[in-house]
Amino acid sequence: MSIDNNRLLLNLMGKLMKVLTQRVLSHGNAHFRLVKVGAASIFAATALTGCVTTQSQADGSTKVHLSLGGVSKISPDSPSSPPTSEARLATTANQTKPGLPSPVSTPGIRTTALAGVFSKHPYDGTPKTYFPRVAITVTDWSRNDCWIGTATIWWSKSKSEAVPAFSVCWGQSVGFAVNNAANLHLFMQQTAVEHSGNVRTAGPKPPMLAVPDRQPISERQQLAFQGFIQQLVLDTGWRPGAPTNLWLVGYDANAVIRPTTAPVSSKGAPQPVDAKGKAQLDQALACTAISPRFDLAESMLKQAGWSPDQGIMPVTLTEQVKVYGFSVRRVAVSRDGGEQIYRSYLAGTTLQQLAKSASLKLGKDGKTYGRLTKVGVLSAGMEGGEATLTCTVNTEGSEG
């Protein structure tokens, strides 16, 4: 684990413990006894390798115990050894969650493609299972029981799926909050085979750290942050061990109100599209050329509500473009500097029709189509039942 990760985790866990202590001491009329653990350094080690548990006592009080994972026992009265990190992850889902959050209008994460995505596609230690990867953007973190976000699932370096707004809600009991602290540690311990450094994007490459080192949340919201991560881990079926495959891109309140239609002029008509920008986008989508002045094409994309940091999330253009004879209105563009992706969505078109028009060759697997171009790799695929044509431009070399 990197020094930056250790420092960030210690900071988060220190703030978290302060909030938990305040909550425990003010919880109803019950009397709580905090186990004394000595100096702050002991707590630092506990935060990194252990968890926090509670145990009801015969006199009606509750003992909060800090246990060093794999070393200490849960309590003097309980001789059994603490579960391993993976066992804790597996059993957390079965724990009672009193004080469930009030409903939100946004669909829950379990109704999306994120539900159990890592359980369905587990990592087996080989590079072919570096995927799927999931990039999460938090869009509403105002509540203490539910957060809302969007996501991009990467099935491969060039195939992704956008997940619209979903909610993640967690239990509000003290037990749920403190007994799953190890999940946050395991999540933040992730290391990437190859990463984008401090540049945080929606993929396909993960950033150096699984969470931003600076977060727009208050000290009181640290507990909500932990609850969000714990529930996210449970609902996606995430397990430690793979190179970074689940991360937070960041916090973006504007993501939920990002326009999906083109801005209009004062007279109510769509703003005109620049001919040069349209030509640049045509060439990029066809994988024939990537203009060094692609900012003109970006202006056209921004009219459709596109943002440079949104990853492979499709937008609908105000004017159609032509790609190998097909009219295209829906596109997705990602230009993170390392690997650039330009994708067209062609509803009503078959892969065979697309392959013929774009002169693509059938792959050895007998299912995929593609070919090399002067600027990258042009490939055809299916996404959500819709044919896609993707130009992938690798500017950093192959991923390990």
Side-chain angles (χ1 to χ4, degrees):
M1 189 174 185
S2 69
I3 295 176
D4 287 339
N5 260 349
N6 274 323
R7 187 181 298 113
L8 178 57
L9 182 60
L10 285 171
N11 182 45
L12 287 172
M13 294 301 290
K15 292 180 179 179
L16 171 63
M17 194 58 188
K18 182 177 180 180
V19 174
L20 286 175
T21 303
Q22 292 172 347
R23 176 177 288 194
V24 167
L25 294 176
S26 62
H27 194 276
N29 296 319
H31 300 287
F32 294 88
R33 291 182 296 172
L34 292 176
V35 175
K36 296 181 180 179
V37 295
S41 59
I42 299 296
F43 168 69
T46 302
L48 289 174
T49 62
C51 64
V52 189
T53 58
T54 60
Q55 183 179 39
S56 299
Q57 304 296 298
D59 60 2
S61 64
T62 297
K63 178 184 292 184
V64 178
H65 183 79
L66 302 176
S67 63
L68 292 174
V71 178
S72 65
K73 297 180 180 179
I74 294 177
S75 74
D77 304 317
S78 178
S80 60
S81 299
T84 63
S85 297
E86 290 198 17
R88 290 190 191 106
L89 283 170
T91 58
T92 303
N94 298 322
Q95 294 177 351
T96 304
K97 302 177 186 178
L100 291 176
S102 57
V104 293
S105 58
T106 308
I109 186 174
R110 294 180 184 179
T111 66
T112 72
L114 292 171
V117 64
F118 294 110
S119 298
K120 298 171 186 174
H121 307 276
Y123 175 66
D124 64 7
T126 61
K128 67 179 182 180
T129 53
Y130 285 171
F131 296 88
R133 293 174 180 170
V134 176
I136 304 290
T137 298
V138 180
T139 59
D140 186 345
W141 56 99
S142 58
R143 291 177 54 153
N144 291 323
D145 56 359
C146 291
W147 283 8
I148 296 173
T150 59
T152 300
I153 303 175
W154 287 93
W155 300 108
S156 68
K157 288 196 294 183
S158 59
K159 182 180 179 181
S160 65
E161 177 181 349
V163 181
F166 59 87
S167 60
V168 176
C169 300
W170 55 92
Q172 289 299 289
S173 69
V174 174
F176 177 76
V178 299
N179 288 336
N180 299 296
N183 292 7
L184 176 63
H185 166 54
L186 292 171
F187 169 76
M188 294 181 63
Q189 252 191 330
Q190 296 181 91
T191 56
V193 173
E194 193 168 298
H195 55 73
S196 59
N198 293 324
V199 179
R200 310 192 68 83
T201 72
K205 289 183 181 179
M208 183 169 57
L209 302 178
V211 299
D213 55 356
R214 294 183 181 181
Q215 303 191 81
I217 56 179
S218 65
E219 187 171 294
R220 298 290 296 179
Q221 288 176 302
Q222 293 291 343
L223 190 59
F225 167 76
Q226 187 203 28
F228 173 74
I229 295 298
Q230 290 169 352
Q231 198 63 49
L232 180 66
V233 164
L234 294 174
D235 290 340
T236 59
W238 181 84
R239 289 290 182 272
T244 305
N245 56 4
L246 175 64
W247 68 90
L248 298 190
V249 179
Y251 297 75
D252 184 4
N254 294 323
V256 293
I257 58 173
R258 182 172 289 143
T260 55
T261 58
V264 297
S265 66
S266 58
K267 295 182 180 180
Q271 295 178 355
V273 173
D274 181 82
K276 290 184 179 179
K278 187 176 180 181
Q280 288 178 1
L281 187 57
D282 287 347
Q283 293 172 344
L285 293 171
C287 217
T288 56
I290 307 297
S291 172
R293 289 291 309 278
F294 196 76
D295 55 315
L296 298 176
E298 287 191 354
S299 297
M300 178 180 176
L301 290 167
K302 289 176 180 178
Q303 288 185 30
W306 178 81
S307 174
D309 61 355
Q310 73 180 50
I312 305 299
M313 189 172 296
V315 295
T316 302
L317 302 174
T318 58
E319 291 185 19
Q320 67 182 20
V321 294
K322 285 288 185 179
V323 181
Y324 291 104
F326 296 102
S327 297
V328 175
R329 287 289 295 271
R330 193 161 169 256
V331 302
V333 175
S334 174
R335 289 166 54 83
D336 69 354
E339 188 171 62
Q340 301 176 4
I341 295 176
Y342 307 87
R343 179 171 298 160
S344 307
Y345 293 81
L346 301 102
T349 303
T350 66
L351 282 179
Q352 292 73 20
Q353 291 173 329
L354 188 54
K356 182 178 180 180
S357 296
S359 301
L360 304 180
K361 297 179 180 180
L362 184 63
K364 293 181 179 180
D365 59 2
K367 298 179 182 179
T368 58
Y369 294 87
R371 66 177 170 88
L372 293 175
T373 73
K374 292 182 179 180
V375 297
V377 177
L378 187 64
S379 60
M382 297 293 294
E383 183 175 317
E386 190 174 9
T388 62
L389 185 65
T390 303
C391 174
T392 304
V393 182
N394 194 333
T395 62
E396 289 187 353
S398 60
E399 184 167 347

